[in-house]
Amino acid sequence: MSTTRPYSPGDRGPEPGGASGASAGRQVRSLSFDGASGVVPLARDFARQALYAWGWLPAAGADRRAAAEDVLLVVSELVTNACLHAEGPDGLQLSCDNKVIRVEVSDRGTGQPAPRTPHRAGRPGGHGMFIVQRLCLDWGVVRTPEVAGKTVWAELGAPA
């Protein structure tokens, strides 16, 4: 798990211009939060619809159900962090191929997300990035020079 690489090995980071649609077997869906309220449930519902469209749901077995629930939890955590630490999220992008689903949440914040160290499981709060780190294959932050904010991304493995 890494917060130092801007994107995972072999990946080019977020698609320029927030492209949506499919390219080279990758399916992409984007959601803008412009003027929206209740962004965490909105993001979860959007992600759930994408998981249905991509065949992750309905889940045939416990492993597939757990993989879908992990995606929804990561979406919730990244959007919540943008609400708490970055004046709210600007957008959510989900992309999926046969092996990996990528969650990207953009915001205007300047902070650097990181799991709290040491992690204190018995205390309320401060678990978001620890959860993301534990559930994901990899995650990181992409910043664009001379543009306010960042995109926090996380990748999860597709169900078997």
Side-chain angles (χ1 to χ4, degrees):
M1 312 304 159
S2 170
T3 59
T4 57
R5 288 196 322 257
Y7 32 84
S8 58
D11 193 281
R12 295 183 324 263
E15 294 184 24
S20 62
S23 64
R26 193 166 221 19
Q27 302 175 76
V28 180
R29 291 190 174 213
S30 299
L31 173 67
S32 171
F33 293 109
D34 190 30
S37 61
V39 295
V40 175
L42 178 65
R44 282 182 66 92
D45 289 345
F46 176 80
R48 188 176 290 109
Q49 290 170 6
L51 292 174
Y52 272 101
W54 296 337
W56 286 48
L57 291 173
D63 288 346
R64 293 181 68 80
R65 191 169 28 263
E69 288 299 323
D70 287 351
V71 171
L72 296 174
L73 180 55
V74 168
V75 166
S76 295
E77 292 298 337
L78 294 182
V79 172
T80 297
N81 277 356
C83 291
L84 294 174
H85 306 293
E87 303 172 25
D90 290 333
L92 167 65
Q93 182 169 292
L94 303 173
S95 57
C96 180
D97 61 21
N98 292 332
K99 296 180 181 180
V100 173
I101 191 165
R102 183 175 175 111
V103 177
E104 299 180 11
V105 175
S106 58
D107 63 52
R108 293 190 185 108
T110 59
Q112 179 72 19
R116 273 199 194 152
T117 307
H119 180 251
R120 295 194 169 111
R123 293 201 168 163
H127 306 291
M129 292 312 295
F130 179 78
I131 291 169
V132 169
Q133 183 177 37
R134 294 292 295 236
L135 293 178
C136 294
L137 301 170
D138 203 5
W139 70 277
V141 178
V142 176
R143 296 184 191 276
T144 304
E146 300 181 25
V147 175
K150 63 188 172 298
T151 298
V152 181
W153 61 267
E155 293 181 337
L156 298 96

